[in-house]
Amino acid sequence: MQIEGDVNGSTKKFAYDMKFHGESSDNEFIPRLWATRRVGYLLDEIRLHGENSELRDEVTELARNTGS
């Protein structure tokens, strides 16, 4: 895996050897937890700064995808 980005005007690259061991069900809760917290953050943004289509659409999409 290689990560590349700009840091203070210069390009930095980092390469890592990684091995993934099949699928695991140990952390299946993480995507739903992330989505729940993201929705909370987005709703706070709407309350603080008002609703816009981008925020509303992202909340709707997250709710549809994690509603199982």
Side-chain angles (χ1 to χ4, degrees):
M1 177 205 291
Q2 184 171 328
I3 299 172
E4 181 178 336
D6 292 327
V7 178
N8 295 327
S10 64
T11 300
K12 300 287 183 181
K13 293 181 184 181
F14 301 93
Y16 300 95
D17 290 328
M18 302 182 78
K19 294 181 183 177
F20 295 98
H21 303 284
E23 290 193 26
S24 172
S25 62
D26 293 346
N27 300 311
E28 288 181 356
F29 67 94
I30 292 175
R32 188 176 181 104
L33 176 63
W34 177 88
T36 301
R37 291 189 179 205
R38 179 70 179 166
V39 166
Y41 168 79
L42 293 170
L43 292 176
D44 284 345
E45 288 294 303
I46 289 170
R47 281 191 284 274
L48 290 170
H49 305 292
E51 183 177 322
N52 66 48
S53 62
E54 183 179 348
L55 293 173
R56 184 184 59 241
D57 292 347
E58 187 173 351
V59 169
T60 302
E61 186 66 25
L62 285 168
R64 285 186 180 146
N65 289 334
T66 60
S68 54

